[in-house]
């Protein structure tokens, strides 16, 4: 008999065993998870075999559509699980249904992330807490995960307004053409109860919800004066504002790219 790392015993492998039974025994001995049998509950428990698979990049969430299969990486960083944007890419053996994974997101506290890069390298992650249950926040999640096909991944930052002045902010989110003219809404009605903000780190709609570019967004990098406010805020940067400020100070803002994006899984 052999003992696994959990203390359990597994039957030895005999030459007369079938290939299937040998694989099953190897999985018992090593603690390996059988292919294509992961669930959200496995992610919640995060036992050592599942943790090893995630850390090795061997777990993805998959979505099947009329054009085929797309998959989204699931990564683990500093004890936090991240769901990345859906892409057409080779799919590892261990998969979950993407709809099951996004089903655990909590509208009352959704965290999204944007990884920014320039000059050939990723410079840092910007994590945004979205305002609960607002249409613009729901649209932002769709464009970070790619559930509707479009994504902020590989989009450029477009322009800095008021550089060096109070109220400085950067505009991004043109997922259609990257020339500042795109960013059409994904949802039919983006009207809702939005708050005002004067704080650096606010995430804002560009113009009133309903304009033809309202998938574009702004991130503020300097506070406004006390007597002024931004409208249509639907999120706040909770970490990585220094990355946005570094991007603003780069020699050419249009060289800054959203190299990856997604959401934080509350598991």
């Amino acid at each position: 008999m052999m003992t696994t790392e959990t203390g359990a015993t597994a039957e030895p492998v005999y030459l007369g065993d079938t290939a299937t039974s040998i694989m099953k025994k190897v999985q018992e001995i090593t603690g390996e998870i059988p292919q294509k049998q992961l669930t959200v509950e496995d992610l919640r428990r995060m036992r050592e075999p599942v943790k090893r698979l995630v850390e090795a990049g061997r777990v993805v969430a998959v979505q099947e559509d009329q054009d085929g299969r797309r998959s989204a990486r699931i990564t683990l960083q500093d004890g936090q699980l991240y769901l990345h944007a859906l892409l057409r890419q080779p799919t590892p053996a261990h998969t979950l249904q993407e709809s099951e994974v996004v089903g655990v997101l909590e509208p009352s506290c959704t965290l999204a992330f944007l990884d920014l890069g320039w000059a050939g390298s990723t410079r840092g992650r910007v994590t945004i807490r979205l305002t609960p249950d607002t249409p613009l926040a729901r649209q932002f999640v769709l464009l970070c995960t790619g559930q509707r096909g479009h994504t902020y991944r590989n989009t450029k930052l477009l322009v800095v307004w008021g550089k060096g002045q109070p109220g400085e902010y950067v505009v991004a989110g043109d997922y259609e053409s990257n020339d500042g003219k795109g960013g059409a809404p994904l949802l039919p009605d983006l009207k809702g109860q939005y708050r005002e903000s004067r704080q650096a780190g606010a995430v804002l709609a560009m113009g009133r919800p309903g304009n033809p570019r309202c998938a574009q967004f702004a991130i503020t990098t300097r506070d406004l004066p006390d007597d002024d406010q931004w409208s249509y805020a639907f999120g706040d940067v909770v970490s990585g504002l220094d990355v946005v400020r570094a991007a603003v100070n780069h020699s050419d803002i249009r060289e800054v790219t959203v190299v990856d994006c997604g959401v934080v899984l509350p598991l």
Side-chain angles (χ1 to χ4, degrees), residues 69-72 85-89 151 153 260:
R69 169 180 282 200
R70 295 187 299 155
S71 61
L86 285 159
L87 300 172
R88 301 209 181 278
Q89 58 189 345
T151 175
R153 189 176 186 272
D260 204 354

PDB file of all heavy atoms in Angstrom, residues 69-72 85-89 151 153 260:
ATOM      1  N   ARG A  69     -15.453  27.565 -29.003  1.00  0.00           N
ATOM      2  CA  ARG A  69     -15.154  27.619 -27.575  1.00  0.00           C
ATOM      3  C   ARG A  69     -14.162  28.737 -27.273  1.00  0.00           C
ATOM      4  O   ARG A  69     -13.181  28.932 -27.975  1.00  0.00           O
ATOM      5  CB  ARG A  69     -14.571  26.278 -27.119  1.00  0.00           C
ATOM      6  CG  ARG A  69     -13.975  26.304 -25.715  1.00  0.00           C
ATOM      7  CD  ARG A  69     -13.416  24.954 -25.301  1.00  0.00           C
ATOM      8  NE  ARG A  69     -14.470  24.032 -24.907  1.00  0.00           N
ATOM      9  CZ  ARG A  69     -14.260  22.946 -24.157  1.00  0.00           C
ATOM     10  NH1 ARG A  69     -13.043  22.638 -23.774  1.00  0.00           N
ATOM     11  NH2 ARG A  69     -15.253  22.158 -23.838  1.00  0.00           N
ATOM     12  N   ARG A  70     -14.452  29.460 -26.188  1.00  0.00           N
ATOM     13  CA  ARG A  70     -13.507  30.415 -25.631  1.00  0.00           C
ATOM     14  C   ARG A  70     -13.233  30.012 -24.185  1.00  0.00           C
ATOM     15  O   ARG A  70     -14.064  29.375 -23.542  1.00  0.00           O
ATOM     16  CB  ARG A  70     -14.050  31.847 -25.676  1.00  0.00           C
ATOM     17  CG  ARG A  70     -14.251  32.368 -27.098  1.00  0.00           C
ATOM     18  CD  ARG A  70     -14.617  33.843 -27.081  1.00  0.00           C
ATOM     19  NE  ARG A  70     -15.860  34.087 -26.371  1.00  0.00           N
ATOM     20  CZ  ARG A  70     -16.187  35.246 -25.796  1.00  0.00           C
ATOM     21  NH1 ARG A  70     -15.349  36.265 -25.849  1.00  0.00           N
ATOM     22  NH2 ARG A  70     -17.336  35.398 -25.198  1.00  0.00           N
ATOM     23  N   SER A  71     -12.081  30.400 -23.676  1.00  0.00           N
ATOM     24  CA  SER A  71     -11.745  30.047 -22.302  1.00  0.00           C
ATOM     25  C   SER A  71     -11.103  31.230 -21.596  1.00  0.00           C
ATOM     26  O   SER A  71     -10.484  32.093 -22.217  1.00  0.00           O
ATOM     27  CB  SER A  71     -10.816  28.835 -22.261  1.00  0.00           C
ATOM     28  OG  SER A  71      -9.597  29.099 -22.924  1.00  0.00           O
ATOM     29  N   ALA A  72     -11.287  31.243 -20.279  1.00  0.00           N
ATOM     30  CA  ALA A  72     -10.751  32.324 -19.450  1.00  0.00           C
ATOM     31  C   ALA A  72      -9.861  31.726 -18.367  1.00  0.00           C
ATOM     32  O   ALA A  72     -10.274  30.805 -17.652  1.00  0.00           O
ATOM     33  CB  ALA A  72     -11.895  33.113 -18.798  1.00  0.00           C
ATOM     34  N   ALA A  85     -10.212  37.562 -18.882  1.00  0.00           N
ATOM     35  CA  ALA A  85     -11.120  37.709 -20.020  1.00  0.00           C
ATOM     36  C   ALA A  85     -11.129  36.438 -20.873  1.00  0.00           C
ATOM     37  O   ALA A  85     -10.116  35.750 -21.016  1.00  0.00           O
ATOM     38  CB  ALA A  85     -10.692  38.907 -20.868  1.00  0.00           C
ATOM     39  N   LEU A  86     -12.283  36.156 -21.466  1.00  0.00           N
ATOM     40  CA  LEU A  86     -12.434  35.019 -22.369  1.00  0.00           C
ATOM     41  C   LEU A  86     -11.654  35.248 -23.658  1.00  0.00           C
ATOM     42  O   LEU A  86     -11.716  36.331 -24.246  1.00  0.00           O
ATOM     43  CB  LEU A  86     -13.909  34.799 -22.695  1.00  0.00           C
ATOM     44  CG  LEU A  86     -14.756  34.167 -21.583  1.00  0.00           C
ATOM     45  CD1 LEU A  86     -16.234  34.468 -21.820  1.00  0.00           C
ATOM     46  CD2 LEU A  86     -14.528  32.662 -21.517  1.00  0.00           C
ATOM     47  N   LEU A  87     -10.932  34.206 -24.097  1.00  0.00           N
ATOM     48  CA  LEU A  87     -10.140  34.279 -25.315  1.00  0.00           C
ATOM     49  C   LEU A  87     -10.290  32.979 -26.090  1.00  0.00           C
ATOM     50  O   LEU A  87     -10.628  31.938 -25.521  1.00  0.00           O
ATOM     51  CB  LEU A  87      -8.654  34.482 -24.990  1.00  0.00           C
ATOM     52  CG  LEU A  87      -8.247  35.729 -24.207  1.00  0.00           C
ATOM     53  CD1 LEU A  87      -6.777  35.628 -23.824  1.00  0.00           C
ATOM     54  CD2 LEU A  87      -8.508  36.975 -25.026  1.00  0.00           C
ATOM     55  N   ARG A  88     -10.019  33.044 -27.373  1.00  0.00           N
ATOM     56  CA  ARG A  88      -9.916  31.817 -28.157  1.00  0.00           C
ATOM     57  C   ARG A  88      -8.473  31.340 -28.036  1.00  0.00           C
ATOM     58  O   ARG A  88      -7.556  31.949 -28.581  1.00  0.00           O
ATOM     59  CB  ARG A  88     -10.299  32.069 -29.610  1.00  0.00           C
ATOM     60  CG  ARG A  88     -11.722  32.599 -29.721  1.00  0.00           C
ATOM     61  CD  ARG A  88     -12.401  32.237 -31.023  1.00  0.00           C
ATOM     62  NE  ARG A  88     -13.736  32.798 -31.053  1.00  0.00           N
ATOM     63  CZ  ARG A  88     -14.803  32.257 -30.487  1.00  0.00           C
ATOM     64  NH1 ARG A  88     -14.686  31.110 -29.844  1.00  0.00           N
ATOM     65  NH2 ARG A  88     -15.988  32.840 -30.546  1.00  0.00           N
ATOM     66  N   GLN A  89      -8.275  30.290 -27.271  1.00  0.00           N
ATOM     67  CA  GLN A  89      -6.945  29.813 -26.952  1.00  0.00           C
ATOM     68  C   GLN A  89      -7.020  28.321 -26.624  1.00  0.00           C
ATOM     69  O   GLN A  89      -8.102  27.802 -26.355  1.00  0.00           O
ATOM     70  CB  GLN A  89      -6.388  30.580 -25.744  1.00  0.00           C
ATOM     71  CG  GLN A  89      -7.263  30.454 -24.503  1.00  0.00           C
ATOM     72  CD  GLN A  89      -6.827  31.378 -23.380  1.00  0.00           C
ATOM     73  OE1 GLN A  89      -5.743  31.920 -23.381  1.00  0.00           O
ATOM     74  NE2 GLN A  89      -7.694  31.552 -22.394  1.00  0.00           N
ATOM     75  N   THR A 151     -14.260  42.905 -25.308  1.00  0.00           N
ATOM     76  CA  THR A 151     -13.512  43.027 -24.062  1.00  0.00           C
ATOM     77  C   THR A 151     -12.602  44.256 -24.099  1.00  0.00           C
ATOM     78  O   THR A 151     -12.214  44.724 -25.180  1.00  0.00           O
ATOM     79  CB  THR A 151     -12.668  41.765 -23.806  1.00  0.00           C
ATOM     80  OG1 THR A 151     -11.857  41.947 -22.645  1.00  0.00           O
ATOM     81  CG2 THR A 151     -11.776  41.440 -24.990  1.00  0.00           C
ATOM     82  N   ARG A 153      -9.641  44.072 -23.067  1.00  0.00           N
ATOM     83  CA  ARG A 153      -8.288  43.562 -23.255  1.00  0.00           C
ATOM     84  C   ARG A 153      -7.710  44.072 -24.584  1.00  0.00           C
ATOM     85  O   ARG A 153      -8.378  44.074 -25.607  1.00  0.00           O
ATOM     86  CB  ARG A 153      -8.295  42.036 -23.239  1.00  0.00           C
ATOM     87  CG  ARG A 153      -6.913  41.390 -23.220  1.00  0.00           C
ATOM     88  CD  ARG A 153      -7.048  39.881 -23.115  1.00  0.00           C
ATOM     89  NE  ARG A 153      -5.759  39.248 -22.951  1.00  0.00           N
ATOM     90  CZ  ARG A 153      -4.968  38.867 -23.946  1.00  0.00           C
ATOM     91  NH1 ARG A 153      -5.366  39.065 -25.203  1.00  0.00           N
ATOM     92  NH2 ARG A 153      -3.811  38.288 -23.716  1.00  0.00           N
ATOM     93  N   ASP A 260      -4.487  42.983 -19.922  1.00  0.00           N
ATOM     94  CA  ASP A 260      -5.380  41.926 -19.461  1.00  0.00           C
ATOM     95  C   ASP A 260      -6.435  42.567 -18.574  1.00  0.00           C
ATOM     96  O   ASP A 260      -6.277  43.687 -18.091  1.00  0.00           O
ATOM     97  CB  ASP A 260      -4.613  40.855 -18.694  1.00  0.00           C
ATOM     98  CG  ASP A 260      -5.309  39.504 -18.696  1.00  0.00           C
ATOM     99  OD1 ASP A 260      -6.455  39.410 -19.196  1.00  0.00           O
ATOM    100  OD2 ASP A 260      -4.725  38.518 -18.221  1.00  0.00           O
TER     101      ASP A 260
END
